[in-house]
Amino acid sequence: MSGFAKPLKIALGLIVIGSLIVIPMNFNRYGLFILSQWAVMTIAAMGLNLTLGYAGQVSLAQGAFVGIGAYAAAIMTTHGWPLPVAILIAIVSSFGVGWVLGYPALRVQHHYLAFVTLAFSTLAFLVFRNENWLTGGIYGISNIPRPHIFGIATNKPLPFYYVCLGSLAIVSVAVWWLIRSPWGRAFMALRENPLRAQSLGIDTRRYTLMAFAIGSALGGVAGALYAPLTQYIDPVPFNLQLSLDLLMMVIVGGAGFYFGPFLGAMIAVLLPEWLRFTEGYYLMLYAIAVMGLLIWSPTGILGILDRYLAARRTKAASALRAVAKSRLETAQ
């Protein structure tokens, strides 16, 4: 059975990727917007999962970095700059601010760090709302253009959905490589036991700052895609609620699991839409479903699957030991 596991995973992955490419061709404008929003929020949640799930650093500021990326892209593209350049600026600015925000993590941990990032999220929202000369204040920025990719316009919903999906694919590959690199192993060591990691020669100071900076940069990428997706931004979407939603996506999907943000964003973005047939009760049902999941499995959806697979491996190992023991007794 184990010999078929890898080909089965590859086949399943190809089916999912093919479905994400082909099935949306039949969707209407609103359906494509929701799927594009799922792709964008997944990128932001992957950044938070890197900071929280892999490096163990609590952050309530990811929504602020999405806002930084969105405003960077909106300001630059409305002044004639191409979207790839705007994304690069969003990455650099979010990375720099995230690096600075990581310094409090060197001195405080857990809920104290959460309060620090909460304060930063509030500060960023106030800047978005009050600095009219830069952000447009409460009036926001409108008429944000969508890019031309290799000469192909993405003004319509389907082409821009493919831009979001392609960006998600690039980020997914980069994060996959990162968490399997020495950096990713250092992040996980930092999460499990910082003192032991330091005793093994890991520069915990540098990796803490890098965890914040890289996770924040991915939030900037998501924001740079969110601006042309909606083609209008104002401060309201980037308040504390967005940071809490992203935190919920990571926890519900499974913090520290690679595919956790994908599932968490699917639940946070798509599940409320699927429950709209219940009319006024869909938010109640959504909240009850999330609470029930976290009570039953605090490690999220993928935590359930991980426990199941661990139990199967334990059972198989016990069976092998029993067979080996019986053969040994027979031989004696």
Side-chain angles (χ1 to χ4, degrees):
M1 181 65 69
S2 60
F4 293 99
K6 188 173 181 179
L8 185 62
K9 290 179 181 178
I10 294 174
L12 181 61
L14 292 175
I15 291 172
V16 171
I17 293 172
S19 300
L20 290 173
I21 294 173
V22 175
I23 294 177
M25 292 180 180
N26 300 315
F27 282 16
N28 59 22
R29 186 183 187 90
Y30 183 69
L32 289 169
F33 174 80
I34 293 298
L35 271 183
S36 301
Q37 188 179 21
W38 165 77
V40 170
M41 290 298 107
T42 300
I43 294 174
M46 290 177 76
L48 182 58
N49 190 38
L50 191 64
T51 304
L52 173 66
Y54 285 100
Q57 305 300 314
V58 181
S59 176
L60 293 177
Q62 191 71 354
F65 291 107
V66 176
I68 291 173
Y71 274 102
I75 293 169
M76 295 191 67
T77 55
T78 52
H79 286 80
W81 290 87
L83 183 60
V85 176
I87 292 176
L88 180 61
I89 296 300
I91 291 173
V92 172
S93 57
S94 297
F95 184 93
V97 176
W99 183 280
V100 174
L101 185 63
Y103 277 95
L106 302 175
R107 301 184 62 87
V108 296
Q109 293 291 327
H110 307 302
H111 57 283
Y112 298 106
L113 180 58
F115 281 123
V116 172
T117 56
L118 172 63
F120 172 79
S121 182
T122 304
L123 175 63
F125 175 76
L126 292 175
V127 171
F128 298 153
R129 190 183 67 180
N130 296 328
E131 300 302 321
N132 297 339
W133 63 275
L134 181 63
T135 65
I138 60 175
Y139 300 103
I141 301 174
S142 58
N143 299 319
I144 301 171
R146 290 180 176 175
H148 284 69
I149 306 296
F150 301 114
I152 301 174
T154 61
N155 294 326
K156 293 184 178 180
L158 184 61
F160 193 74
Y161 162 71
Y162 288 134
V163 172
C164 296
L165 186 63
S167 301
L168 175 59
I170 295 171
V171 171
S172 300
V173 172
V175 172
W176 180 271
W177 170 82
L178 179 64
I179 61 179
R180 279 157 179 76
S181 70
W183 282 20
R185 291 191 289 272
F187 287 156
M188 287 184 276
L190 183 65
R191 175 193 64 192
E192 297 299 330
N193 194 320
L195 292 177
R196 182 175 296 175
Q198 190 172 18
S199 69
L200 293 174
I202 295 175
D203 188 346
T204 56
R205 178 185 178 90
R206 184 180 67 174
Y207 283 107
T208 298
L209 296 176
M210 289 299 297
F212 266 93
I214 297 175
S216 302
L218 292 182
V221 173
L225 293 170
Y226 180 84
L229 172 63
T230 58
Q231 298 189 289
Y232 168 79
I233 58 170
D234 63 9
V236 175
F238 310 115
N239 58 19
L240 179 61
Q241 183 62 45
L242 178 57
S243 295
L244 295 176
D245 287 343
L246 291 170
L247 180 64
M248 186 195 70
M249 293 176 198
V250 172
I251 294 175
V252 168
F257 293 97
Y258 176 77
F259 289 105
F262 293 84
L263 290 176
M266 185 180 297
I267 291 174
V269 176
L270 302 182
L271 184 60
E273 300 299 324
W274 295 339
L275 293 176
R276 283 190 182 275
F277 71 93
T278 62
E279 297 180 355
Y281 296 99
Y282 80 97
L283 285 178
M284 294 175 58
L285 293 174
Y286 172 65
I288 292 171
V290 171
M291 287 190 295
L293 171 66
L294 293 181
I295 291 172
W296 184 39
S297 176
T299 53
I301 296 174
L302 292 182
I304 300 173
L305 179 61
D306 185 61
R307 289 201 304 271
Y308 170 73
L309 293 177
R312 284 194 59 182
R313 288 193 295 267
T314 302
K315 186 176 180 180
S318 299
L320 288 174
R321 284 196 299 269
V323 170
K325 184 178 179 181
S326 63
R327 288 178 178 175
L328 181 62
E329 292 175 350
T330 302
Q332 291 176 351

